[in-house]
């Protein structure tokens, strides 16, 4: 059944069975299960929610009104609207009413989507001889506002503004965190699905309070602060400001993506437990470790008489945690008590911290350093003020000269800025300009130009731009190490001032120092 829905069932070691697939497939499959549930279970409470005939009537009503209004939705959005209406009909029959504040209702009434929602509501009232409460048209309006539209003749996979802006947010967060989040399609799709209705909730002052807001801000402060710095592209495009509650919801998407990366790219610390018999104290110890140390993957519990070197090599064991004396092993042995007292926990904390530092060093070493991709020959200082497009062409020309990109790279950057505004101005007086890999000839390259009096990018907060960094890369993950180091450079107040001074030897010294981290 899952395969028919474009999903698959996979077994993950130590996790069990998980369902995998695209977000759109998950949603369609869920809708089918809801349909099947009501078809087979609602008779138990005295009636059936809807028939196939009613489903077709609703579908025909919705699609015909949308077509007449020239309001085109992608198929998944139409399916979602139909299932919303099915449940709304059930609510109306049960005389169950959701109220909506007058202020928000009046705002929604002024939208084109509200007029379409009223037409759908009135047609359904005639067909099913029911009366919807006033709030129902508002809920249909919210659904239409949050759904993805498509012009006639447009392919369903056509990329819209939100998708581009979300990709740019993920790219900036990749540089902020020093991790490759660009290849995580689940993150992109999940964010887009979340952001569409969230944007309209904020436009109509209908934001949700997040009960975990304080906990999320405390636990993921570095992610929260990164999102707050980099959400401006979406905020400026839609003329909204994300609240702390909304930032917390978005933070969870990034936190989940980071956990997925950790699960894929890092090896868990594999341990086995030893005791005299392999039954009593080791099982007690296992229970304690499971609750306190999720970083430790417990392969199994053994008695000291069962363990041998072949087993240790075959399972790739990193440590033996033992409640009894045991020294005959090539694998390090950590001696603990079954209840994990303070001294025991100190030992385990040390091996976990060692593994974390090892992982951080491995991640930091992925890809070339900033010094390697930004040689002094591609750094110019004290340049005279130019128009924005001319400054971009001058910056790109340094990469063209070294064969990193071709001339069309500058044109594509200019087109992106014309289409989406000055989103490449990433900080006060600093722009990071880049385009897709179509015109890139080498794996990765940077250039840096200092404009003494600045360049106007039409950014309300960060103009004039004194530093333009040009980035070109064939694959998203190749440049992340250098981009992380660049991020560290511009976030350091002293290094920023060095960049703005235009003193070439000091700038190259800063690039050298940050490349050693």
């Amino acid at each position: 059944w899952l395969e028919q829905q474009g999903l698959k069932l996979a077994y993950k070691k130590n996790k069990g069975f998980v369902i995998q697939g695209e977000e759109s497939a998950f949603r369609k499959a869920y809708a089918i299960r809801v349909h099947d549930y009501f078809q087979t279970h609602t008779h138990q409470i005295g009636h059936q929610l809807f028939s196939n005939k009613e489903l077709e009537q609703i579908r025909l009503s919705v699609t015909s009104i949308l077509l007449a209004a020239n309001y085109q939705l992608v198929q998944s959005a139409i399916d979602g609207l139909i299932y919303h209406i099915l449940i709304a009909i059930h609510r109306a029959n049960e005389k169950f009413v959701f109220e909506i504040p007058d202020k928000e209702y009046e705002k929604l009434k002024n939208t084109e989507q509200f007029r379409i929602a009223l037409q759908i509501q009135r047609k359904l009232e005639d067909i099913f001889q029911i009366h919807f409460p006033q709030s129902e048209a508002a809920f249909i309006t919210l659904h239409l506002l949050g759904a993805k539209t498509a012009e006639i003749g447009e392919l369903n996979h056509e990329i819209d503004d939100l998708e581009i802006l979300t990709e740019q947010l993920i790219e900036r967060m990749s540089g902020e965190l020093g991790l490759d989040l660009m290849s995580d399609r689940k993150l992109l799709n999940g964010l887009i699905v979340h952001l569409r209705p969230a944007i309209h909730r904020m436009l109509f002052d209908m934001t949700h309070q997040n009960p975990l807001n304080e906990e999320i801000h405390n636990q993921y402060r570095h992610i929260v602060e990164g999102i707050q710095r980099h959400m401006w592209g979406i905020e400026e495009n839609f003329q909204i400001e994300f609240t702390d509650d909304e930032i917390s919801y978005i933070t969870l998407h990034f936190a989940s993506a980071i956990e997925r990366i950790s699960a894929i790219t890092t090896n868990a610390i594999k341990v086995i437990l030893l005791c005299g018999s392999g039954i009593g104290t080791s099982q007690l110890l296992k229970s304690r470790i499971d609750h306190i140390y999720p970083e430790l993957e417990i392969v199994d519990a053994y008695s000291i008489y069962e363990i041998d070197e072949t087993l240790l090599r075959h399972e790739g064991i990193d440590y033996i945690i033992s409640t009894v004396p045991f020294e005959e092993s090539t694998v390090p042995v950590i001696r603990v008590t079954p209840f994990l007292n303070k001294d025991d926990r100190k030992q385990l904390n040390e091996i976990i911290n060692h593994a974390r530092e090892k992982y951080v060093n491995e991640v930091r070493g992925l890809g070339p350093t900033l010094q390697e991709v930004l040689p002094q020959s591609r750094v110019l200082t004290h340049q005279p003020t130019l128009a924005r497009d001319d400054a971009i062409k001058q910056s790109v020309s340094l990469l063209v000269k070294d064969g990193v990109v071709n001339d069309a790279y500058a044109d594509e950057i200019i087109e992106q800025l014309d289409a989406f505004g000055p989103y490449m101005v990433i900080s006060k007086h600093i722009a990071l300009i880049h385009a897709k890999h179509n015109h890139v000839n080498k794996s990765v390259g940077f250039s840096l130009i200092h404009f003494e009096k600045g360049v106007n990018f039409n950014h309300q907060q960060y103009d004039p731009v004194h530093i333009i960094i040009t980035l070109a890369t064939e694959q998203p993950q190749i440049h992340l190490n250098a981009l992380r180091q660049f991020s560290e450079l511009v976030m350091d107040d002293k290094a920023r001032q060095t960049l703005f001074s235009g003193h070439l030897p000091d700038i190259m010294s800063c690039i050298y120092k940050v490349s050693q981290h």
Side-chain angles (χ1 to χ4, degrees):
W1 183 87
L2 288 169
E3 288 175 355
Q4 291 172 357
Q5 315 312 318
L7 300 168
K8 67 178 181 178
L9 194 65
Y11 178 74
K12 295 289 184 183
K13 188 175 181 181
N14 300 317
K15 291 185 180 294
F17 288 95
V18 295
I19 299 173
Q20 298 177 333
E22 295 292 330
E23 179 71 18
S24 59
F26 270 105
R27 288 175 172 263
K28 288 180 181 178
Y30 177 72
I32 291 170
R33 294 310 303 157
V34 171
H35 175 277
D36 291 346
Y37 172 81
F38 281 120
Q39 291 282 38
T40 57
H41 291 79
T42 53
H43 66 277
Q44 296 176 10
I45 54 175
H47 67 277
Q48 187 172 336
L49 182 60
F50 55 84
S51 66
N52 287 336
K53 181 182 178 183
E54 290 168 329
L55 179 61
E56 287 305 313
Q57 287 178 308
I58 295 170
R59 184 180 296 278
L60 182 60
S61 300
V62 169
T63 54
S64 61
I65 289 172
L66 291 175
L67 183 62
N70 197 29
Y71 194 82
Q72 301 295 312
L73 295 180
V74 297
Q75 189 58 49
S76 58
I78 294 173
D79 292 342
L81 177 57
I82 289 168
Y83 280 97
H84 168 87
I85 289 168
L86 289 167
I87 296 171
I89 291 171
H90 181 53
R91 282 202 301 267
N93 286 328
E94 295 290 327
K95 303 294 190 287
F96 189 90
V97 178
F98 278 119
E99 297 295 342
I100 187 169
D102 291 339
K103 184 176 73 171
E104 279 72 31
Y105 185 80
E106 289 302 315
K107 285 185 180 181
L108 292 169
K109 278 179 66 176
N110 296 322
T111 64
E112 173 198 356
Q113 289 81 0
F114 185 83
R115 290 187 286 275
I116 297 172
L118 274 182
Q119 293 179 47
I120 293 173
Q121 176 179 308
R122 288 165 182 164
K123 187 161 188 174
L124 294 172
E125 285 177 333
D126 289 341
I127 292 173
F128 294 100
Q129 295 299 297
I130 59 174
H131 174 70
F132 285 114
Q134 172 180 283
S135 60
E136 203 56 61
F139 287 124
I140 295 174
T141 302
L142 285 173
H143 188 102
L144 293 171
L145 285 166
K148 181 177 178 182
T149 59
E151 299 299 328
I152 293 177
E154 181 183 57
L155 295 175
N156 285 354
H157 61 263
E158 186 80 15
I159 296 175
D160 65 8
D161 287 1
L162 180 59
E163 291 181 42
I164 293 172
L165 291 166
T166 304
E167 280 190 333
Q168 292 165 354
L169 169 65
I170 293 172
E171 182 177 13
R172 290 195 292 269
M173 286 299 293
S174 291
E176 174 87 21
L177 301 170
L179 295 170
D180 176 17
L181 302 175
M182 294 295 290
S183 56
D184 189 340
R185 300 302 299 177
K186 191 170 185 179
L187 172 62
L188 176 63
N189 293 336
L191 277 174
I192 291 170
V193 168
H194 172 83
L195 286 170
R196 287 194 198 284
I199 287 167
H200 292 288
R201 285 200 304 271
M202 285 179 284
L203 285 170
F204 292 98
D205 296 327
M206 299 180 70
T207 55
H208 297 324
Q209 185 176 2
N210 189 334
L212 298 175
N213 187 49
E214 185 177 351
E215 183 178 341
I216 291 169
H217 277 247
N218 289 335
Q219 186 170 350
Y220 301 112
R221 181 167 300 280
H222 64 296
I223 302 177
V224 170
E225 291 173 352
I227 293 170
Q228 288 170 335
R229 278 193 292 271
H230 298 300
M231 281 300 294
W232 55 264
I234 295 174
E235 289 178 329
E236 290 182 3
N237 189 77
F238 294 99
Q239 296 297 296
I240 57 174
E241 184 175 346
F242 283 88
T243 64
D244 282 349
D245 291 300
E246 290 292 345
I247 292 289
S248 292
Y249 285 120
I250 295 165
T251 297
L252 292 178
H253 286 273
F254 280 98
S256 298
I258 292 169
E259 288 183 12
R260 285 194 292 274
I261 287 176
S262 298
I264 293 169
T265 61
T266 64
N267 294 319
I269 304 171
K270 299 181 76 171
V271 302
I272 60 170
L273 308 182
L274 285 188
C275 76
S277 65
I279 301 173
T281 54
S282 61
Q283 294 303 321
L284 175 60
L285 181 61
K286 182 178 187 300
S287 175
R288 295 282 290 165
I289 289 176
D290 281 341
H291 282 89
I292 301 173
Y293 294 107
E295 299 92 340
L296 300 180
E297 179 187 336
I298 301 173
V299 175
D300 211 337
Y302 297 94
S303 80
I304 58 173
Y305 307 107
E306 296 174 310
I307 202 70
D308 62 54
E309 290 296 328
T310 303
L311 172 68
L312 297 175
R313 287 195 301 270
H314 182 266
E315 295 290 348
I317 302 301
D318 296 304
Y319 294 92
I320 296 171
I321 301 176
S322 178
T323 60
V324 295
F326 185 77
E327 297 178 357
E328 298 177 4
S329 174
T330 56
V331 174
V333 179
I334 309 296
R335 178 81 183 279
V336 299
T337 63
F339 290 98
L340 285 185
N341 61 31
K342 186 176 181 179
D343 290 337
D344 300 331
R345 295 195 298 274
K346 184 178 179 181
Q347 292 186 84
L348 297 180
N349 289 339
E350 286 178 358
I351 67 172
I352 288 169
N353 287 334
H354 174 74
R356 285 175 178 165
E357 288 302 316
K358 181 182 176 184
Y359 169 64
V360 169
N361 290 332
E362 288 173 351
V363 170
R364 285 173 181 263
L366 293 175
T369 66
L370 184 61
Q371 182 185 21
E372 291 171 326
V373 298
L374 183 56
Q376 185 168 326
S377 61
R378 293 208 291 265
V379 179
L380 296 180
T381 59
H382 298 288
Q383 297 300 297
T385 299
L386 295 173
R388 186 202 69 178
D389 291 359
D390 291 333
I392 290 170
K393 289 175 182 177
Q394 183 185 7
S395 300
V396 172
S397 70
L398 297 173
L399 295 174
V400 173
K401 183 179 69 174
D402 286 354
V404 179
V405 300
N406 60 38
D407 291 319
Y409 197 71
D411 296 331
E412 188 171 329
I413 292 172
I414 293 167
E415 287 175 11
Q416 291 288 321
L417 290 169
D418 288 342
F420 301 108
Y423 70 92
M424 296 184 197
V425 183
I426 61 169
S427 181
K428 194 171 184 179
H429 308 319
I430 297 177
L432 176 66
I433 63 174
H434 56 286
K436 293 184 179 178
H437 59 79
N438 309 53
H439 305 292
V440 179
N441 303 322
K442 294 184 179 179
S443 59
V444 61
F446 282 63
S447 70
L448 185 153
I449 297 189
H450 163 256
F451 293 91
E452 193 161 12
K453 294 184 179 179
V455 175
N456 184 11
F457 271 68
N458 291 321
H459 195 289
Q460 293 180 353
Q461 292 175 276
Y462 298 152
D463 266 353
V465 170
H466 291 285
I467 298 293
I468 296 181
I469 293 271
T470 307
L471 160 66
T473 181
E474 279 187 321
Q475 298 178 15
Q477 66 271 24
I478 294 176
H479 69 285
L480 288 178
N481 190 40
L483 192 58
R484 175 187 60 79
Q485 292 169 352
F486 167 70
S487 179
E488 290 180 12
L489 194 68
V490 298
M491 287 191 294
D492 181 275
D493 289 338
K494 187 176 179 181
R496 282 173 66 93
Q497 291 309 312
T498 299
L499 292 177
F500 294 145
S501 74
H503 190 258
L504 184 58
D506 288 347
I507 290 175
M508 296 312 300
S509 177
C510 286
I511 292 171
Y512 171 77
K513 287 177 182 177
V514 80
S515 297
Q516 308 311 307
H517 294 176

